[in-house]
């Protein structure tokens, strides 16, 4: 999930071909099963190359097995002009995967008694959610975390190369982004539906700042990144660039229209301006599910899931949403936890087993969002990579 109009177009196109998605995902998982005698590293390399073969310019992936044994693979190029190879530890924009970090901080604050998931938005941000039927006195923090608030999303974004060039350096305050949402009636009464809302997480950032006196990104740094030593995960603020090394980010707008969209400020720079690596993202999810960031009670609450909307259910077959965390089924049995992210050309899927011992991350530096077929193929191939990596020893040899 991403925050721009490009992401909403991507999601709409996927949902328009939902039946095909279900069939394609099932077929891809079956076809992607590891051949007898194949190693985990061989499988990861094949899956990475399969994504590149779709036309995705650059791909990097990392899988971590129990005991910490790692496999890495890259395919394609980091720069279409020079042909520079993709780095196995290149930076990319984290995008909506950062929602899991925001949710972790909120649950830490609850464990400390500094707020409650049953607090209303009005209690924490009086008068901010008002107008056109929006009522902050009826929306709880739990509902914001779980996308059950009903708040309508209306974030600015681009859908054409021209809009990208015009808007890429625009800066929006959290208050401006919330005001855009308040111009619309809610999608449904609080707690009576499910719809992905970036605006809900804008509000959670504001609530963290009110509760702690520090911006959410500082709390994330102090509570998550420094304790875990994740020094390759960085908040970039309003910087339109990424640290080196990184693959250039591309957006496919249509036949013959692949645009370098690396240079941009994320629309919600407070929440989405994070960059990371496959190593750090994997380490974060393993630490979270391994119980190193939250007390047992709070981690259990994070994993209490609800059904997503019928439309998104077809994007995430069998998926359910917890508090900033998605639960999805594995073809080898059981489920895994994840939160994909996509923004500014970078599309990233990830997954970690329930015990935090096995993880996988794949980052793609091109968003092929022009047709339902391209979107389905990219999402399906990336999902197959995650599934194969997490099923691990249950298929063939490891």
């Amino acid at each position: 999930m991403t925050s721009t109009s490009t992401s909403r177009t991507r999601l709409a196109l996927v949902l328009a071909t939902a039946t095909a998605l279900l069939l394609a995902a099932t077929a891809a998982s079956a076809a992607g099963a590891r051949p007898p005698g194949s190693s985990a590293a061989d499988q990861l390399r094949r899956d990475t190359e399969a994504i590149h073969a779709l036309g995705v310019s650059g791909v990097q992936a990392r899988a971590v097995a129990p005991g910490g044994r790692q496999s890495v693979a890259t395919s394609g190029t980091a720069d279409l002009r020079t042909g520079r190879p993709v780095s196995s530890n290149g930076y990319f924009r984290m995008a909506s995967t950062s929602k899991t970090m925001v949710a972790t901080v909120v649950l830490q604050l609850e464990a400390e008694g500094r707020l409650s998931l049953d607090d209303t938005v009005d209690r924490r941000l009086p008068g901010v959610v008002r107008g056109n039927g929006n009522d902050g006195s009826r929306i709880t923090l739990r509902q914001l975390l779980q996308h059950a608030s009903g708040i309508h999303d209306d974030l600015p974004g681009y859908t054409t190369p021209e809009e990208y060039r015009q808007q890429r350096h625009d800066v929006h305050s959290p208050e401006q982004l919330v005001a855009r949402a308040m111009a619309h009636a809610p999608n449904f009464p609080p707690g009576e539906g499910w719809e992905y809302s970036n605006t809900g997480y804008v509000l959670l950032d504001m609530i963290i700042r009110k509760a702690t006196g520090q911006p959410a990104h500082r709390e994330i740094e102090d509570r998550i990144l420094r304790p875990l030593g994740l020094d390759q995960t960085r908040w970039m603020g309003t910087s339109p660039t990424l640290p080196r090394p990184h693959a250039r980010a591309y957006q496919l707008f249509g036949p013959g229209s692949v645009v370098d969209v690396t240079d941009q400020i994320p629309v919600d720079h407070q929440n989405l301006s994070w960059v990371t690596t496959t190593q750090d993202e994997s380490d974060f999810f393993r630490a979270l599910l391994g119980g190193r960031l939250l007390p047992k009670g709070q981690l259990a609450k994070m994993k209490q899931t609800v059904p997503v909307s019928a439309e998104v259910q077809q994007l995430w077959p069998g998926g359910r949403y917890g508090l900033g965390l998605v639960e999805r089924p594995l073809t080898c049995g059981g489920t895994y936890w994840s939160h994909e992210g996509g923004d500014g050309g970078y599309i990233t899927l990830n997954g970690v087993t329930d015990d935090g011992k096995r993880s996988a991350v794949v980052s793609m530096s091109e968003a092929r969002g022009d047709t339902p077929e391209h979107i389905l193929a990219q999402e399906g191939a990336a999902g197959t990579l995650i599934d194969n990596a997490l099923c691990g020893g249950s298929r063939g040899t490891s």
Side-chain angles (χ1 to χ4, degrees), residues 177-189:
L177 297 177
V178 172
R180 290 176 66 102
M182 295 303 102
H184 301 269
N187 295 326
F188 50 82

Side-chain angles (χ1 to χ4, degrees), residues 93-139:
R93 289 191 171 105
M94 199 173 193
S96 280
T97 303
S98 65
K99 287 180 171 62
T100 308
M101 298 196 301
V102 171
T104 300
V105 170
V106 171
L107 285 161
Q108 287 178 342
L109 292 172
E110 188 212 31
E112 295 164 9
R114 300 174 71 175
L115 52 73
S116 167
L117 298 185
D118 296 322
D119 286 345
T120 64
V121 175
D122 246 17
R123 178 176 177 184
R124 295 294 168 177
L125 300 172
V128 172
V129 175
R130 281 287 184 272
N132 294 306
N134 294 285
D135 185 354
S137 70
R138 299 179 58 205
I139 299 171

Side-chain angles (χ1 to χ4, degrees), residues 11-64:
L11 178 57
L13 287 168
V14 172
L15 299 182
T17 55
T19 301
L21 173 63
L22 287 169
L23 296 174
T26 302
S29 293
R34 184 189 303 170
S38 173
S39 71
D42 290 340
Q43 183 66 60
L44 189 69
R45 176 181 50 78
R46 282 193 296 271
D47 288 341
T48 303
E49 290 174 350
I51 296 171
H52 173 55
L54 298 174
V56 177
S57 57
V59 188
Q60 60 167 313
R62 182 180 305 269
V64 185

